[in-house]
Amino acid sequence: MDKQQDEQQDARSNAHRSDPRDTRSDARPVLEGPDIARVLTRIAHEIVERAKGADDVVLLGIPTRGVFLARRLADKLEQITERKMPVGSLDITMYRDDLRMHPPRALARTEIPGDGIDGRLVVLVDDVLFSGRTIRAALDALNDIGRPRAVQLAVLVDRGHRELPIRADYVGKNLPTSLRETVKVQLAEEDGRDTVLLGAKPAAPGAHP
């Protein structure tokens, strides 16, 4: 009886591991919560150093997870500078160059701090830098709002494969990847935990192995 129960348990375990819906089986963490906290602290110090005190810095997160990262960076900058840091969000939905190629997207929120962005150093914040097209859309959206003194980019992960001449000024982790891999950022505010996962890109429907 014990052997039969063991065999049944093994069968259930094997079925779980082979279930294509189980994304946990082929994804591995490359950053965990403490790592993310450390790199955000480092980026905050780099911003203060490069901006010579960050007196005119405005942080704008790109929805969704870029907004959470921007708020965390603002908290860390406040701890360093002992000043309230302007932070907001920048929706890029209507500026995407693939807008006509996908189903309609829900608009996110654009929230600009009360003093605006004119003449300020705007730091755009996003979770993953990939082709660069998201950042180009963000620059277009920013141009319709005001005229900052300068624009910089902070990202948690740079996975390479740029299609446009765009680079990040502040990078949490450079993560070389192949186009057959996917990078997924999970943050506690949205996903219940902090982690960055690297896994295989799901096969397209009908694709042959």
Side-chain angles (χ1 to χ4, degrees):
M1 178 65 68
D2 290 341
K3 181 179 179 181
Q4 182 179 5
Q5 290 176 338
D6 288 343
E7 289 173 348
Q8 291 173 345
Q9 178 64 37
D10 289 342
R12 286 194 295 268
S13 299
N14 290 333
H16 175 71
R17 285 195 294 268
S18 62
D19 185 354
R21 295 170 297 181
D22 180 22
T23 57
R24 296 170 298 176
S25 60
D26 63 353
R28 62 181 179 87
V30 293
L31 288 177
E32 299 280 14
D35 306 312
I36 293 174
R38 280 193 296 270
V39 299
L40 289 178
T41 298
R42 171 173 56 79
I43 288 174
H45 281 281
E46 290 174 355
I47 291 174
V48 171
E49 182 178 357
R50 290 187 58 172
K52 296 179 173 54
D55 290 341
D56 65 344
V57 167
V58 176
L59 299 172
L60 293 181
I62 299 175
T64 300
R65 290 166 184 81
V67 177
F68 302 134
L69 292 172
R71 292 172 182 166
R72 294 190 192 186
L73 271 177
D75 289 340
K76 293 183 179 296
L77 285 167
E78 288 173 20
Q79 294 171 11
I80 298 169
T81 65
E82 298 183 345
R83 294 191 306 274
K84 187 74 174 176
M85 195 60 52
V87 59
S89 60
L90 182 67
D91 177 39
I92 65 165
T93 303
M94 301 307 296
Y95 296 86
R96 297 182 62 97
D97 61 6
D98 61 352
L99 191 61
R100 293 172 295 179
M101 301 167 58
H102 296 280
R105 302 170 183 262
L107 296 178
R109 297 187 63 173
T110 290
E111 295 181 348
I112 304 301
D115 290 337
I117 62 170
D118 290 342
R120 310 292 292 271
L121 170 57
V122 172
V123 179
L124 296 173
V125 184
D126 204 5
D127 54 353
V128 179
L129 178 58
F130 185 25
S131 69
R133 294 181 181 275
T134 292
I135 305 307
R136 185 184 70 173
L139 293 172
D140 289 342
L142 201 61
N143 187 58
D144 282 350
I145 294 171
R147 192 176 190 275
R149 173 177 68 79
V151 181
Q152 295 179 350
L153 174 62
V155 298
L156 182 61
V157 175
D158 184 346
R159 62 166 298 185
H161 303 288
R162 211 76 74 245
E163 297 174 2
L164 298 171
I166 289 173
R167 67 173 180 83
D169 300 274
Y170 311 100
V171 179
K173 183 176 181 62
N174 286 290
L175 184 62
T177 63
S178 80
L179 292 174
R180 294 189 297 273
E181 292 176 311
T182 183
V183 176
K184 182 174 180 58
V185 173
Q186 296 182 327
L187 297 177
E189 296 92 332
E190 179 79 7
D191 311 291
R193 65 170 182 167
D194 286 351
T195 188
V196 177
L197 300 171
L198 177 65
K201 187 175 182 180
H208 295 289

